[in-house]
Amino acid sequence: GCTEDSSASNTIESPINSNAGEDIQLLLPTNFSWLSGSYSDSKTTDHIVWKKVSGPSSYVLESPNSLKTKVSNLETGTYEFELTVTNANGITAKDIVIVTVSDITINPNEIIFKDMTWVCPMGCHLEIKNFSSYLPATTVFRIYIQRDNSSNWQEVIHESSQLPDDIQFSYTLYYASLFIDSYSSLEEVDTPNIKIVY
């Protein structure tokens, strides 16, 4: 009898994945941010589109067909921006990033973490574990650092923002921890204070 040719195979498309990046929190007067997407696919990507799917009417997407685009003219509220990636075979993947824009009240709350210790395996960072347990859900906040031998508080900028050339500190939230990265020097002998204003 005949048997089916085992050498014949059907082409199975591997799924395309898109990632719109971590959710973003902004405090006015800062009314812009960068949306930074990514994708994984074995095929050539044919089309990239960012679009707003919910939120206030005021916004400007400068490069909606690029993985990285600046979004500006934002106002108080919660926005959802969707990234759609389409590969050469017409297969699409979507993901959403939430951008929350808020304003600190006249009498803001604050939390201070004193005498933090730098961790310096490859570059230096500070970590506040289980960060969400310190603030109510969806709270918008600012972060400041006070170095040893200084009375000044310096703002720490979110890594998704357009970082200036002279940036010294940036932060990110990763797996429920807050990480503050340093671009300066002598962190090993420094025990800074961290202030969260919300």
Side-chain angles (χ1 to χ4, degrees):
C2 296
T3 58
E4 185 177 351
D5 186 356
S6 61
S7 64
S9 62
N10 294 325
T11 301
I12 299 175
E13 289 291 344
S14 59
I16 180 173
N17 296 311
S18 67
N19 185 338
E22 295 183 13
D23 293 343
I24 298 167
Q25 295 181 330
L26 299 174
L27 282 173
L28 298 174
T30 301
N31 67 346
F32 72 91
S33 185
W34 290 89
L35 305 181
S36 298
S38 61
Y39 66 90
S40 61
D41 184 28
S42 59
K43 304 294 183 183
T44 303
T45 299
D46 186 56
H47 199 52
I48 295 167
V49 176
W50 286 98
K51 71 175 183 178
K52 189 196 80 170
V53 293
S54 69
S57 59
S58 176
Y59 75 100
V60 175
L61 273 171
E62 293 189 2
S63 303
N65 300 118
S66 299
L67 278 176
K68 184 173 183 178
T69 180
K70 184 178 181 180
V71 57
S72 59
N73 202 31
L74 301 174
E75 61 185 23
T76 302
T78 301
Y79 295 81
E80 289 186 337
F81 292 100
E82 183 180 71
L83 171 66
T84 301
V85 180
T86 305
N87 72 7
N89 290 339
I91 297 173
T92 64
K94 299 180 179 183
D95 192 31
I96 287 177
V97 61
I98 297 172
V99 180
T100 304
V101 184
S102 189
D103 198 356
I104 290 182
T105 61
I106 297 174
N107 298 309
N109 298 306
E110 65 179 42
I111 305 170
I112 295 180
F113 300 87
K114 292 190 173 182
D115 301 323
M116 300 289 293
T117 302
W118 292 101
V119 178
C120 299
M122 296 177 61
C124 293
H125 71 270
L126 302 169
E127 180 181 1
I128 299 174
K129 295 183 178 179
N130 198 19
F131 181 69
S132 61
S133 68
Y134 296 99
L135 301 176
T138 68
T139 300
V140 178
F141 56 87
R142 284 191 190 274
I143 301 174
Y144 298 87
I145 185 169
Q146 182 185 51
R147 305 295 295 269
D148 287 353
N149 304 316
S150 174
S151 60
N152 295 326
W153 289 93
Q154 179 180 353
E155 187 168 4
V156 181
I157 301 174
H158 191 276
E159 68 171 7
S160 70
S161 302
Q162 185 176 16
L163 300 178
D165 293 336
D166 60 349
I167 182 66
Q168 288 187 299
F169 306 101
S170 68
Y171 77 90
T172 186
L173 294 168
Y174 187 69
Y175 285 109
S177 289
L178 172 73
F179 292 90
I180 297 175
D181 295 310
S182 173
Y183 305 93
S184 56
S185 59
L186 302 178
E187 286 80 4
E188 295 90 340
V189 296
D190 184 29
T191 56
N193 299 324
I194 300 298
K195 178 167 63 175
I196 312 298
V197 178
Y198 64 97

